[in-house]
Amino acid sequence: NAVAYDSSDGQVKSREIIYKFAITLPNPVPAPVNNFEAKDNLKSENSALLVWKKDSQAGIKSYSVYYSTKDFVDMKMSDIQKDNLIKQVSALISNPIEIERVDMDNCEFNPINEPCKYSVYNQALLKNKLYYIKSENKFLYVLSDADFKDGTDYNLAITAVNDKGEEMDNDKSIADNTYIFEAAKNYLW
């Protein structure tokens, strides 16, 4: 207790001490993406189908897809973003095209000269668009680039990005850092 004046009752008397405080918890940098797959979209020139599990983390606003003929698995994100040989595409998650199911391995041309239609979905997948496959809780992105060449191997990586534009650092010099690219999880050759 403390003796204090309070304007609400106009008296000086012994009063309880009340502590008021607030805590703000910042959104952490999003954890690495898991279950990343890429399929060579042979029937749709200059593109690849990228699929990954939708993350349950709060605050994710987009995903960044990085790709290059150069191996960048061990580079820090700050260096990746400065490297002109590594391209980046951002896929905002605010308004994906929702689909129930799609068979990405089965695509047929009907009629000829039309884009191929994927079975189950029964429509073409549009280039550089983000889809959400509800039945699998996965995102699908059709990555298209006029510079893609058949018979060329590419390195692909994906990161989740929060509302402040932050993503994992891929700094492998930090002991026990889990915010890194790992083969078959969020980095593919």
Side-chain angles (χ1 to χ4, degrees):
N1 282 348
V3 176
Y5 171 79
D6 190 336
S7 61
S8 66
D9 62 8
Q11 296 182 13
V12 175
K13 63 181 184 181
S14 181
R15 301 179 188 274
E16 295 273 327
I17 297 174
I18 300 172
Y19 296 97
K20 293 184 181 182
F21 60 92
I23 296 176
T24 57
L25 299 173
N27 268 353
V29 172
V33 170
N34 279 316
N35 303 325
F36 178 40
E37 302 171 65
K39 295 179 182 284
D40 186 1
N41 191 4
L42 295 174
K43 294 183 179 177
S44 186
E45 293 177 359
N46 307 327
S47 67
L49 303 177
L50 310 181
V51 182
W52 65 94
K53 188 172 183 176
K54 181 181 180 185
D55 215 301
S56 59
Q57 298 175 81
I60 293 176
K61 295 295 179 196
S62 65
Y63 289 90
S64 286
V65 177
Y66 295 92
Y67 59 101
S68 178
T69 54
K70 175 181 182 172
D71 183 354
F72 56 92
V73 70
D74 292 324
M75 292 174 64
K76 291 180 184 177
M77 285 306 298
S78 55
D79 295 332
I80 289 170
Q81 292 168 343
K82 292 178 202 164
D83 193 320
N84 291 333
L85 296 176
I86 303 168
K87 294 188 177 186
Q88 176 192 2
V89 173
S90 183
L92 292 172
I93 65 168
S94 56
N95 198 15
I97 300 167
E98 288 194 3
I99 58 178
E100 195 58 45
R101 290 180 50 222
V102 63
D103 179 356
M104 290 170 280
D105 296 319
N106 192 354
C107 193
E108 295 184 14
F109 293 97
N110 191 7
I112 294 172
N113 295 331
E114 290 289 317
C116 71
K117 292 181 180 169
Y118 287 84
S119 103
V120 181
Y121 180 49
N122 203 27
Q123 292 185 47
L125 293 171
L126 304 173
K127 292 179 178 183
N128 298 319
K129 294 289 183 186
L130 183 67
Y131 292 83
Y132 174 62
I133 307 169
K134 292 191 273 188
S135 64
E136 298 179 40
N137 193 34
K138 290 183 177 178
F139 282 117
L140 163 66
Y141 187 79
V142 184
L143 178 63
S144 181
D145 187 327
D147 293 336
F148 277 167
K149 294 176 182 65
D150 284 340
T152 303
D153 291 329
Y154 288 89
N155 294 270
L156 297 159
I158 189 159
T159 63
V161 182
N162 68 15
D163 51 0
K164 295 179 194 152
E166 300 168 324
E167 59 192 322
M168 57 178 245
D169 57 16
N170 200 44
D171 189 345
K172 295 183 177 176
S173 67
I174 299 171
D176 301 321
N177 187 3
T178 58
Y179 289 74
I180 59 172
F181 287 135
E182 292 182 80
K185 285 192 174 182
N186 55 7
Y187 190 95
L188 300 171
W189 287 276

